[in-house]
Amino acid sequence: MKKNTTALLLAVSLMAVAGCAKKQKPEDLPPPPVGAEGNTGAVATPAGPTPGSQADFVASITADRIYFDTDKSDVDAEDQATLASQAAWLKKYPGTRVTIEGHADERGTRDYNIALGARRANAAKNALAAMGIDAARISTVSYGKERPEALGSTEADWARNRRAVTVTVQ
Amino acid sequence: MRLIHGLTLFAAALLGAAPATAQITGTVTDDTGSQSFTVAIPPLATPADVATSAGQTGELGRKVAEIISNDLNATDVFTPKGPAGLRGIAMPEVTAPAFGEWEGIGAENLVHGFVRDNGDGTLTVGCYLYDVSLKSEMVRQGYVVGPRDWRRAAHKCADAIYSRLSGENPFFDSRIAYIAETGPKGNRVKRLAIMDSDGANHRFITNGQAIALTPRFSPDYKSIVYVSYIERRARVYIYDIASGRQRLVTESPNQTFSPRWSPDGKTILYSMSVGGNTDLYTVPVTGGTPVRLTNTPAIETGGSYSPDGSRIVFESDRSGSQQIYVMNADGSGQQRISFGGGTYATPEWSPRGNLIAFTRIGGGAFRIGVMSPSGNGEKLLTNSWQDEAPTWSPNGRVIQFFRTVQGSGKTSVMQVDVTGAKERKIDTPVDGSDPAWGPILP
């Protein structure tokens, strides 16, 4: 399952605009892996995902992640729209909680990247909080450069790895 | 845990009276590095080739010579010859070398020695250094070790030779903590591991279920401070090697990382992200209230103490990019010292106090370099796609770091002399990163 997802991501990565140093936009991207980082996403049934589940979250929002420029943690208008879709879902299911995982690309030193990932996760958290989501429902974690999603060493790979991913806590 | 036992020194009491101190010929290299000593290291002798739990004493004599040769070759000071290609020596030659013969192969200095089974479960390794042209003895030492510790005797002998000829403090008999890496790039398994300074006596500490990062040996080698994601976030733990237990350095809902010991082993310097903002903190090793040392909206991390504990070097992006700063240990007097362009990270204060090692990022490369604590005399030592995270040998003459391969993300522990010479890979069972050199063993 994980392997297949990785292969798919690689394929899409290769199709992405070569040498693009700008932020990868969510519409370029395939659906995120369900159950990443150990969350057991509910199994989709023919009737659709269980309301309030990780699968439902992913199916209901624009994207589960936003992207950043090198060494930056700014949340731009497009990121705001993505996070607004997440906020709408969180308002619909007020009993749910999320973890935002901050990541950096491989072209930084280890400690700095952990700090940078923390900055990015917190930037996403602050944006959700500004949209009316109780900050107590949002935890953050930084993986620095330890968990890249795009596995190459091109600008396009790095752009895809500079991310903050929202995952529901089940 | 492998513990040293019975490693004793009885210099001068081994095979006769100690001679007068000899003159050193040749020139000790300085930081610019040029001349080196040509040292012949034939296989060590044995009075009787007998079986021990570490192997035949004759075979051990050859292996000890190999370790000495490999150790000495790590620095800019030596050009070792042998033991490969050199004849073995007989026991009487240990104290009466055939100087003319060794001079004939171009040796300025000569290492002789022996391995003897003492019949009581211990080995004696004799270690002699001669000046060939003066035909005089410069080092005479003996080490009594358990068979498991025969490699340490070889390192001690190499240290004695190195110190005598270079005037520097020893460093070979020391250990490395590092991160052993396996698995695919996107889901790397990272285990805490330890080994001798030359990669021998390797041991995995953690099982890889949680990401382990950035270890540092305590000054007494009894514990290791490092980062574990054991509860799905970065937190600093102290791992006790004897008991195999670990504990959090500080209880906090925030992520903690980038830990370092103070030189006296009483304080942990670390980084903590609070609300996305990373600053430097200290906390007593025994627990207690953390003290915040930096207070800016920027990222402050990568702290490292000066050897006297009075100052701290760290990195900060307060100027807009990662740069290196020095401050007093209480956080006062913060001053930027890196101005060479590009960005600078992972500063490490030399145990000698005279240099700061760092990673410099720019021009598509990550390179290891050194500069003085005031920022002068910058010199880059490596040139690769991604070299990162220098750590100093106990005497401040050699640097280890790790190298990442573009694309595959594979990593290896590397070593380079502080002059930039003698770059080499340290052999590890699997990929390796985040090396951290411990102090010289007693």
Side-chain angles (χ1 to χ4, degrees):
Chain A
M1 161 69 187
K2 181 132 194 165
K3 220 166 209 165
N4 291 340
T5 309
T6 303
L8 176 61
L9 289 173
L10 271 172
V12 173
S13 171
L14 289 169
M15 288 186 286
V17 184
C20 174
K22 285 311 227 180
K23 290 166 66 170
Q24 290 275 330
K25 294 310 176 189
E27 56 266 31
D28 298 335
L29 303 173
V34 174
E37 300 304 334
N39 284 286
T40 50
V43 177
T45 66
T50 308
S53 66
Q54 169 72 17
D56 182 46
F57 175 69
V58 169
S60 308
I61 58 179
T62 308
D64 68 346
R65 61 199 60 198
I66 59 175
Y67 297 89
F68 300 89
D69 290 330
T70 300
D71 287 352
K72 299 295 185 197
S73 57
D74 308 273
V75 176
D76 66 17
E78 193 161 352
D79 300 330
Q80 290 278 354
T82 298
L83 293 169
S85 75
Q86 296 178 9
W89 186 89
L90 286 165
K91 283 174 181 167
K92 190 174 170 188
Y93 300 102
T96 56
R97 299 167 55 84
V98 292
T99 296
I100 302 177
E101 301 166 355
H103 298 269
D105 66 42
E106 65 183 341
R107 289 300 260 174
T109 44
R110 191 173 321 287
D111 293 342
Y112 185 78
N113 275 352
I114 294 173
L116 190 55
R119 234 185 214 170
R120 288 170 175 163
N122 201 66
K125 174 180 176 173
N126 287 347
L128 286 176
M131 294 168 188
I133 307 302
D134 183 356
R137 294 172 64 192
I138 310 165
S139 62
T140 59
V141 60
S142 173
Y143 284 95
K145 61 176 170 179
E146 306 308 318
R147 288 291 178 263
E149 189 163 286
L151 303 182
S153 293
T154 67
E155 290 289 349
D157 292 309
W158 299 331
R160 292 166 52 81
N161 290 331
R162 297 189 294 265
R163 67 201 194 275
V165 184
T166 307
V167 181
T168 62
V169 179
Q170 300 291 321
Chain B
M1 171 61 194
R2 183 188 315 278
L3 279 178
I4 310 103
H5 72 93
L7 185 75
T8 55
L9 234 86
F10 52 104
L14 214 56
L15 286 171
T21 303
Q23 294 294 307
I24 297 178
T25 59
T27 308
V28 177
T29 55
D30 59 15
D31 279 0
T32 61
S34 52
Q35 189 169 350
S36 69
F37 295 97
T38 300
V39 185
I41 312 169
L44 273 57
T46 185
D49 190 15
V50 298
T52 76
S53 60
Q56 294 286 130
T57 52
E59 176 67 5
L60 282 173
R62 189 182 57 77
K63 288 180 173 172
V64 168
E66 282 172 358
I67 292 169
I68 294 168
S69 180
N70 185 56
D71 279 354
L72 295 183
N73 195 38
T75 77
D76 202 29
V77 183
F78 299 98
T79 306
K81 284 193 169 194
L86 299 184
R87 69 170 176 89
I89 56 167
M91 222 24 212
E93 289 183 81
V94 173
T95 49
F99 286 115
E101 178 186 342
W102 301 113
E103 194 162 27
I105 66 161
E108 296 167 272
N109 294 93
L110 176 67
V111 175
H112 274 353
F114 63 88
V115 178
R116 182 176 67 209
D117 179 9
N118 296 325
D120 61 356
T122 65
L123 302 171
T124 296
V125 177
C127 170
Y128 298 73
L129 174 68
Y130 295 97
D131 182 303
V132 173
S133 63
L134 293 179
K135 299 181 173 52
S136 61
E137 187 179 285
M138 301 175 71
V139 166
R140 174 185 295 213
Q141 293 202 333
Y143 311 100
V144 179
V145 293
R148 286 188 311 178
D149 289 329
W150 67 272
R151 294 187 67 96
R152 287 204 54 205
H155 290 313
K156 282 288 185 213
C157 180
D159 271 330
I161 295 161
Y162 170 76
S163 291
R164 184 71 178 84
L165 288 177
S166 71
E168 302 282 352
N169 289 323
F171 73 97
F172 298 118
D173 189 27
S174 56
R175 309 209 76 198
I176 309 289
Y178 80 106
I179 299 301
E181 299 193 7
T182 52
K185 189 177 180 183
N187 193 24
R188 208 81 163 129
V189 176
K190 296 194 156 198
R191 304 171 67 183
L192 179 56
I194 56 178
M195 60 188 178
D196 293 350
S197 69
D198 61 354
N201 289 318
H202 185 278
R203 182 185 155 198
F204 292 107
I205 300 275
T206 61
N207 62 17
Q209 286 180 354
I211 300 169
L213 303 173
T214 60
R216 291 291 186 282
F217 270 120
S218 62
D220 62 6
Y221 275 111
K222 287 180 180 168
S223 45
I224 297 170
V225 69
Y226 78 114
V227 167
S228 172
Y229 275 79
I230 196 160
E231 287 173 34
R232 295 186 174 281
R233 59 196 163 106
R235 290 199 291 180
V236 175
Y237 291 83
I238 294 179
Y239 177 90
D240 181 73
I241 294 172
S243 70
R245 292 188 178 160
Q246 65 180 25
R247 60 182 171 82
L248 279 170
V249 168
T250 182
E251 284 285 352
S252 169
N254 301 300
Q255 290 201 121
T256 55
F257 53 100
S258 194
R260 304 286 190 280
W261 299 89
S262 63
D264 64 7
K266 291 178 179 171
T267 303
I268 300 294
L269 170 65
Y270 64 101
S271 302
M272 181 162 68
S273 295
V274 181
N277 178 30
T278 299
D279 278 294
L280 291 167
Y281 296 76
T282 56
V283 67
V285 167
T286 50
T289 309
V291 176
R292 186 174 179 175
L293 299 183
T294 60
N295 190 358
T296 80
I299 289 171
E300 274 84 28
T301 189
S304 169
Y305 278 98
S306 63
D308 67 0
S310 70
R311 290 192 286 169
I312 290 169
V313 64
F314 64 101
E315 63 175 79
S316 170
D317 66 356
R318 64 182 68 172
S319 72
S321 65
Q322 282 169 282
Q323 299 294 338
I324 298 177
Y325 295 75
V326 169
M327 65 181 175
N328 296 318
D330 64 359
S332 65
Q334 299 180 19
Q335 265 192 314
R336 178 172 164 180
I337 64 165
S338 62
F339 293 98
T343 62
Y344 292 76
T346 76
E348 287 282 328
W349 213 305
S350 159
R352 288 156 63 112
N354 61 329
L355 291 171
I356 308 284
F358 54 81
T359 305
R360 184 168 170 185
I361 305 163
F366 285 51
R367 305 173 70 182
I368 304 301
V370 294
M371 66 170 77
S372 80
S374 58
N376 299 320
E378 177 176 330
K379 180 177 181 182
L380 294 173
L381 308 180
T382 72
N383 192 6
S384 181
W385 185 70
Q386 190 149 328
D387 290 345
E388 182 179 345
T391 180
W392 289 95
S393 65
N395 68 350
R397 287 294 314 192
V398 177
I399 289 171
Q400 287 189 352
F401 57 96
F402 77 95
R403 175 166 291 173
T404 305
V405 176
Q406 184 173 7
S408 72
K410 290 179 72 66
T411 53
S412 50
V413 176
M414 303 291 295
Q415 179 170 305
V416 67
D417 188 85
V418 74
T419 60
K422 303 273 187 176
E423 183 179 295
R424 62 157 79 174
K425 180 181 181 297
I426 300 296
D427 286 331
T428 49
V430 294
D431 290 356
S433 62
D434 294 356
W437 214 319
I440 191 81
L441 284 159

